[in-house]
Amino acid sequence: MHKIYLDNAASTPLLPEVMEIMMEVLKENYGNPSSIHSHGRHSRTVIEEARKIIANILKVSISEIFFTSCATEANNIIIKKVIESRGVQTIITSGLEHPCVANTISDMTKRHDLKIIFVPNDSDGNLDYGFLENAVKENPKSLVSIMYVNNEIGNINDIGKIGEICKANGALFHSDAVQALGKIELDLSKIYVSYLSASAHKFHGPKGAGFFYMNSDCIIDPLILGGAQERNMRAGTENIAGIFATAKALELSVKNMSENQSQILIVRNYFKQRLKEELADIQFNGNQDIAINHILNVSFPPSPKADLLMFNLDINGISASSGSACSSGIPKDSKVMEGIGHDKERKAIRFSFSHNTTLEEIDYTIDILKKISPTQ
Ligand code: PLP
């Protein structure tokens, strides 16, 4: 049976070159990077080389990159410590953020006297930037937390514009860039952000490795205390192989970006075209004009068969992601789907591609969808 992976927004396969590099570091660099002997210094060099690669790609200073175990950790560190160490009184965010941002903000509002303002969005997930600007102007000492690319519907938010608004009004700006890195250009010498997070396994690096950028004018206190690793910002012996693999995976993704993205766009357009022509009552969620190439969120019409779509895709060897769940017979959309007012009777499925996805795989997926979808 075919095994088709259309869930690249959830995680991506490790690039073979990255795996090789990782194995070598695991084997060779066993010295503790905090040790001052040659084995330790050798490991330290690997970490600093990785930091330099990432800093060069983002066009920032090497002292502004901090390695973590994942983007969830990076977002927790940033949000919690920006609030606690920079006197933030207001958080301006959207209702479409990833749970690791949304739940951290919600938890912080229970522990601190914080005002929280949600930037409204329309049914395509477009944010109201005028509202955001007014909110920033009316609320000094605010932290704006808006993701670069939405992980469920793929909308690319205008972080350049948000950065300008924040900079002009003295607000701090955090952006979760997990679904953007390695897929679209990001030049932080041109775009203002105070903090930005990323995760290696979303750009063909390993799981358990991430990092954040912190603008040197926006220093926060550490969340995890212990040794002096990451210049006292994130204690704990470093995941050297993961860190080096992160840098190499990002380097390769950026180097091959235009070729990879062209391939992904061909796949996306072909899939969309065939879905529109061959399946009835299909809708695409999110603003298709600003959607990132690799995420396509498809909404299928209501029917008892719709609830079995994910299950039937899976038993036919196709892995995708559900934007909704059915608990006790009641269909329930994810927060993002709810946030864009998606009809919960319909079934939303996120298909996400990589440069490895082929048109033959799309043909097979369409054949299966024609058999299992509600209107056939
Ligand atoms: N932010 C976004 C937008 C994501 O898509 C994800 C992963 O699904 C995360 C954060 C969490 O990343 P990690 O798996 O590195 O914790």
Side-chain angles (χ1 to χ4, degrees):
M1 185 181 67
H2 284 70
K3 280 275 179 204
I4 295 178
Y5 188 67
L6 299 179
D7 203 13
N8 289 278
S11 200
T12 51
L14 201 57
L15 286 169
E17 303 92 311
V18 173
M19 169 126 69
E20 244 174 66
I21 289 165
M22 218 178 148
M23 295 309 282
E24 202 179 309
V25 176
L26 276 173
K27 200 165 133 216
E28 301 297 332
N29 297 94
Y30 49 86
N32 188 320
S34 298
S35 301
I36 54 171
H37 48 59
S38 67
H39 286 84
R41 291 199 306 276
H42 196 197
S43 295
R44 162 84 27 233
T45 312
V46 173
I47 296 175
E48 295 318 316
E49 172 63 19
R51 203 185 310 280
K52 193 164 143 198
I53 292 171
I54 294 174
N56 285 344
I57 289 170
L58 297 180
K59 300 203 173 51
V60 299
S61 152
I62 46 173
S63 62
E64 294 175 313
I65 300 295
F66 299 89
F67 293 109
T68 61
S69 68
C70 59
T72 297
E73 184 196 322
N75 287 331
N76 268 261
I77 293 175
I78 296 162
I79 293 164
K80 290 181 179 170
K81 298 317 286 189
V82 170
I83 291 165
E84 288 175 0
S85 45
R86 297 200 63 98
V88 165
Q89 290 167 355
T90 307
I91 301 187
I92 300 166
T93 186
S94 82
L96 308 178
E97 299 300 308
H98 188 271
C100 69
V101 168
N103 293 343
T104 306
I105 292 176
S106 153
D107 183 65
M108 290 307 275
T109 57
K110 290 181 199 138
R111 296 166 197 278
H112 299 269
D113 187 18
L114 287 167
K115 180 168 159 191
I116 174 158
I117 298 173
F118 286 99
V119 177
N121 59 266
D122 66 15
S123 59
D124 283 333
N126 299 306
L127 299 176
D128 185 339
Y129 296 109
F131 177 99
L132 186 146
E133 184 163 12
N134 286 337
V136 169
K137 283 186 175 151
E138 285 163 14
N139 293 277
K141 290 194 175 272
S142 53
L143 166 69
V144 174
S145 183
I146 300 283
M147 69 207 317
Y148 193 179
V149 172
N150 187 282
N151 54 299
E152 290 195 43
I153 54 175
N155 282 20
I156 304 174
N157 293 321
D158 192 346
I159 64 163
K161 187 186 210 140
I162 303 173
E164 275 171 30
I165 295 171
C166 291
K167 199 171 180 193
N169 295 283
L172 294 164
F173 176 31
H174 161 239
S175 189
D176 172 342
V178 165
Q179 295 293 344
L181 251 76
K183 288 160 186 122
I184 45 177
E185 287 273 337
L186 182 57
D187 178 346
L188 295 183
S189 68
K190 296 199 183 119
I191 284 180
Y192 176 78
V193 291
S194 320
Y195 314 96
L196 181 132
S197 52
S199 178
H201 72 103
K202 308 287 182 169
F203 49 80
H204 303 276
K207 291 164 188 63
F211 66 89
F212 65 91
Y213 156 80
M214 173 166 64
N215 184 304
S216 55
D217 293 332
C218 309
I219 304 288
I220 54 174
D221 293 335
L223 177 72
I224 297 169
L225 302 175
Q229 291 91 351
E230 295 301 290
R231 295 178 315 290
N232 290 309
M233 188 53 68
R234 197 272 188 181
T237 302
E238 299 90 335
N239 170 9
I240 311 168
I243 287 172
F244 199 62
T246 301
K248 283 292 174 189
L250 186 59
E251 188 176 55
L252 284 165
S253 298
V254 169
K255 186 172 150 227
N256 301 322
M257 191 185 291
S258 92
E259 196 184 317
N260 287 350
Q261 289 305 309
S262 308
Q263 165 65 16
I264 293 170
L265 187 59
I266 289 171
V267 163
R268 175 193 181 84
N269 288 341
Y270 180 68
F271 193 27
K272 273 182 83 172
Q273 193 60 31
R274 288 206 59 190
L275 281 168
K276 275 195 282 194
E277 285 173 4
E278 296 172 48
L279 283 115
D281 195 11
I282 289 295
Q283 292 169 8
F284 300 109
N285 295 312
N287 180 345
Q288 296 304 295
D289 295 333
I290 55 162
I292 198 150
N293 297 332
H294 72 287
I295 297 177
L296 183 65
N297 192 310
V298 184
S299 174
F300 295 85
S303 103
K305 245 176 145 183
D307 294 331
L308 295 173
L309 265 177
M310 281 300 298
F311 172 76
N312 281 327
L313 280 172
D314 191 26
I315 57 169
N316 283 286
I318 301 164
S319 298
S321 220
S322 175
S324 45
C326 186
S327 69
S328 323
I330 305 158
K332 192 167 168 19
D333 269 346
S334 72
K335 283 260 167 60
V336 173
M337 288 297 130
E338 266 177 28
I340 60 168
H342 179 252
D343 176 355
K344 65 179 182 340
E345 301 301 324
R346 296 179 65 90
K347 181 80 186 168
I349 297 185
R350 178 188 70 183
F351 296 94
S352 50
F353 321 110
S354 83
H355 59 277
N356 296 323
T357 313
T358 64
L359 295 181
E360 291 70 37
E361 289 178 329
I362 299 300
D363 285 337
Y364 176 77
T365 305
I366 291 283
D367 286 348
I368 296 299
L369 280 171
K370 283 163 82 172
K371 287 190 193 131
I372 64 172
S373 105
T375 50
Q376 310 302 313

